[in-house]
Each structure stands twice: as structure tokens, then as C-alpha cells.
Amino acid sequence: MQSTEPTQSTDRTSLNLAVLCHLLGLAGIIVPFGHILGPLVLWLIKKNEYPLVDDQGKESLNFQISVTLYAIIPTLLTFVLIGIPLLFVLGILDIIFIIKAAMAAGNGIAYRYPFNLRLVK
């Protein structure tokens, strides 16, 4: 879930970029696959400069990929109408966890999403 240990790098730029890694997960609301592309691009650009951005960028990217994979089954179940509320709940949980992660990263805490598949190492 969430680590309570502050990370090594706590300068303001590093914290802001770590927060942005999480908040870019909301880009999928506007841009198709933006929830994956946003954190991916920021992480690829800044991972070598800031250890916190490297850690939180991977965490955010893994979570957004996980949510996308988790959405496949409810999407298939929309044909029997049970998938619609499941997709709604998944979307709400996505937003809640993104906000919690962004708040933790803003405080220099390395957040760990629950139910996250660690695909990008």
C-alpha cells in the first residue's frame, strides 16, 4: 500500500514531478490511452535525474496498466449489464487511488498502489 518512509530526494522539483506522474493518470479521461502515455513519457524523460520520479513514475505506470487490464472483464460483461456498474466502480477507485498517491508523493512518501501488477521494473 503506502510506505511511510520519506524518500532520499525531497527537493521541490522532484516532489512536483512525482505528483505529476500520478496526476497524469487522469489524462485518460481526455486522451485515449493518455493514462498510460502521460506517466510513461514523464518517467522516461526524468527517471535518470530524480530517483523519486523513477520510483513513482514506474508505480503510476504499473497501476495504469493494471487498471486497463482489470477493465477488460467488466467491459466484456457490459453485454449482460453487470459490467457497467463494475466499470463505474473501477473508475472511481482509480481516481481515489491517484489522488491518494499524488498527495503522498507531494509529501515525499513513496506510495504503493494496492492490487498493482509490477510489470515495469
Side-chain angles (χ1 to χ4, degrees):
M1 292 247 246
Q2 175 176 324
S3 171
T4 57
E5 299 175 23
T7 56
Q8 307 134 343
S9 172
T10 56
D11 65 45
R12 186 50 43 208
T13 302
S14 178
L15 295 177
N16 289 340
L17 289 172
V19 168
L20 187 58
C21 284
H22 294 291
L23 293 180
L24 283 172
L26 298 173
I29 296 171
I30 300 168
V31 178
F33 295 102
H35 65 292
I36 294 173
L37 294 175
L40 174 64
V41 169
L42 182 60
W43 173 67
L44 287 174
I45 292 172
K46 295 294 184 179
K47 69 180 180 177
N48 295 325
E49 292 178 52
Y50 303 101
L52 181 62
V53 174
D54 181 33
D55 177 62
Q56 293 301 285
K58 283 188 283 192
E59 188 69 16
S60 177
L61 181 59
N62 281 326
F63 182 68
Q64 295 308 320
I65 293 170
S66 298
V67 167
T68 302
L69 293 175
Y70 298 150
I72 292 172
I73 292 174
T75 300
L76 295 174
L77 291 174
T78 57
F79 298 110
V80 291
L81 301 178
I82 189 69
I84 295 170
L86 291 175
L87 281 172
F88 179 75
V89 168
L90 184 63
I92 295 299
L93 288 174
D94 184 30
I95 292 170
I96 289 170
F97 288 131
I98 288 172
I99 292 170
K100 285 180 67 173
M103 290 172 51
N107 291 323
I109 298 170
Y111 185 80
R112 296 290 173 247
Y113 288 97
F115 312 111
N116 198 0
L117 303 173
R118 306 275 187 255
L119 302 171
V120 178
K121 304 239 181 223

